[in-house]
Amino acid sequence: MAKQHEYTATVQWTGNKGEGTSSYRAYERTWDIAVPGKPIVHCSNDPLLGGDPKLMNPEDLLLSSLAACHMLWYLHLASDNGVVVHRYRDAPIAVGETEPSGAGRFLSATLKPEIDVPNGTDLTLAEDLHHQVHKFCFIARSVSFPVVYEPSFHEI
């Protein structure tokens, strides 16, 4: 039987410039994410929607979470299957769409991990493990858009 567990965070809007939401331009789309015992993450809306491009936005956080979850499960499966990983770096790309009403959604995400492995590694197995991750990754199992994997391996 599956065990349930909770995750908690506090999300607090920080964009009140004194007039609250009295008009669309009267407030900033900024907030802080606080999780007990962890550094605060300052966030903003997507720059396409007037947000601060220097701060993380919800879309950045979702894509990063998806890639990090995949990486952690990949490293676990690699270790279990005798694939030694010396370096793992991902530069994922997500495609989204925005409707005329302003409603948006992700259409897809492509993970593009670059992985350093020792010479002689079974690269077929190393690549196959990427396709097994989706069975386990909490984030990947929770999204409703397709996730594609395009790993590259460098033997060192």
Side-chain angles (χ1 to χ4, degrees):
M1 177 187 273
K3 294 191 304 188
Q4 291 188 357
H5 46 278
E6 293 182 347
Y7 297 91
T8 64
T10 300
V11 176
Q12 182 166 333
W13 175 49
T14 60
N16 185 350
K17 298 191 296 187
E19 298 177 39
T21 58
S22 60
S23 73
Y24 188 74
R25 300 222 185 274
Y27 64 96
E28 294 177 353
R29 282 80 177 152
T30 58
W31 69 93
D32 289 342
I33 299 172
V35 176
K38 299 179 183 181
I40 291 175
V41 178
H42 304 290
C43 300
S44 182
N45 203 13
D46 185 314
L48 295 173
L49 302 170
D52 184 339
K54 296 180 297 260
L55 299 177
M56 297 288 275
N57 63 56
E59 295 79 9
D60 295 333
L61 295 167
L62 178 60
L63 182 59
S64 299
S65 295
L66 179 64
C69 186
H70 182 91
M71 176 190 67
L72 292 169
W73 269 105
Y74 182 80
L75 296 172
H76 177 99
L77 293 173
S79 177
D80 282 354
N81 286 275
V83 174
V84 176
V85 174
H86 288 288
R87 186 180 74 89
Y88 186 110
R89 180 179 185 274
D90 198 351
I93 298 172
V95 176
E97 72 174 1
T98 307
E99 296 179 6
S101 68
R105 67 180 178 143
F106 279 106
L107 297 175
S108 66
T110 303
L111 305 184
K112 298 173 170 274
E114 297 175 6
I115 302 161
D116 289 354
V117 296
N119 282 325
T121 296
D122 181 344
L123 297 180
T124 301
L125 171 60
E127 182 163 350
D128 182 56
L129 294 175
H130 281 284
H131 303 287
Q132 294 179 35
V133 168
H134 199 83
K135 294 184 240 177
F136 301 101
C137 172
F138 198 95
I139 307 299
R141 290 173 44 87
S142 301
V143 299
S144 62
F145 53 85
V147 179
V148 177
Y149 316 104
E150 295 178 357
S152 62
F153 296 93
H154 308 280
E155 292 185 281
I156 56 172

